[in-house]
Amino acid sequence: LAGPPPEVVAVWPLVAAPADTAQRDWFPGLAAGLRRRGYRVVPDGVAVEILRDAGLPPTTTDANAIGRALQADALLQLRVRAFSATGERALQEARWDLEWRLVSTRGAGIVWSFEHHGNWRQADRAPLDPFASLDEQDEPPAIVPIGGNRLPGFRDADELLAWLHRLALDHLPARGRT
C-alpha cells in the first residue's frame, strides 16, 4: 500500500468495460473478499443507492465528495480491458485482462493496484466407460498427477470472476499489515 491503509472501502459500482460486456455482474464475491482481508465494506449495490440519495451521479469523478457520501476512505475500482467467456450451461473458455485499483478518497491517489490477464479452457474430457476393460477403450486413460491437475474448474463466468477477485485480493495487504 502506498500511504495509510484505508479502514472503509467502497466497491465502485461502475466498471470501465467494453460495450459488449457491460451487462455482466462484475462483482461476485468482491465485498466478501475485502471483508476477509479485514476491511469494512460498502458493497456496490449499497454504493449506488447512497450516491443516488446524495444526488451524486455514479459518473462523478470527485473522489472527496464520493468519500463523504459513502463514508469510505477508499474506492475499489475494477477496470476491464478485455473479457470474453463462452459456454451457456458450463464455461468452456475465457480470456481476460483486468485491473483492480484502490483509490483514496482523501487525496492520496491510487494506493494499491493489481493487474491480471490470462485465459482458461475447460479440459477436454473423454467419456470414460467404467465397465469397459482397458483393452476395449480406444485410447489409454490420461495420466493425472497425484492430487489432480490443480487447475480450477468453473461452472460459469460469475464463478471465474469470483476466483479472479479472490486472486487479486490475496495481493492486497490485510488490514493491520502493510
Side-chain angles (χ1 to χ4, degrees), residues 85-162:
T86 58
E88 292 290 321
R89 295 179 157 239
L91 189 62
Q92 298 296 316
E93 61 182 319
R95 294 186 185 283
W96 61 88
D97 186 2
L98 305 172
E99 180 184 12
W100 294 260
R101 287 182 175 179
L102 197 58
V103 179
S104 171
T105 59
R106 309 290 187 237
I110 298 173
V111 296
W112 173 83
S113 69
F114 181 77
E115 296 181 24
H116 193 272
H117 60 273
N119 58 45
W120 177 88
R121 187 175 69 83
Q122 181 180 14
D124 296 328
R125 300 178 194 267
L128 178 65
D129 182 1
F131 299 110
S133 71
L134 292 177
D135 295 335
E136 295 173 352
Q137 295 180 13
D138 292 338
E139 296 180 20
I143 296 174
V144 177
I146 293 174
N149 63 8
R150 296 193 182 259
L151 294 175
F154 305 106
R155 291 178 294 214
D156 55 24
D158 287 348
E159 196 171 272
L160 169 65
L161 282 167

Side-chain angles (χ1 to χ4, degrees), residues 2-71:
E7 185 174 328
V8 179
V9 176
V11 177
W12 186 241
L14 293 179
V15 173
D20 60 335
T21 57
Q23 298 301 331
R24 178 175 304 284
D25 175 17
W26 291 105
F27 308 110
L30 196 54
L34 282 166
R35 283 188 199 98
R36 193 176 70 245
R37 302 301 289 170
Y39 297 93
R40 292 193 345 224
V41 180
V42 179
D44 57 296
V46 174
V48 168
E49 294 295 323
I50 292 173
L51 291 173
R52 185 178 319 144
D53 291 346
L56 289 170
T59 56
T60 187
T61 57
D62 184 1
N64 290 331
I66 293 168
R68 282 191 303 274
L70 297 176
Q71 296 181 0

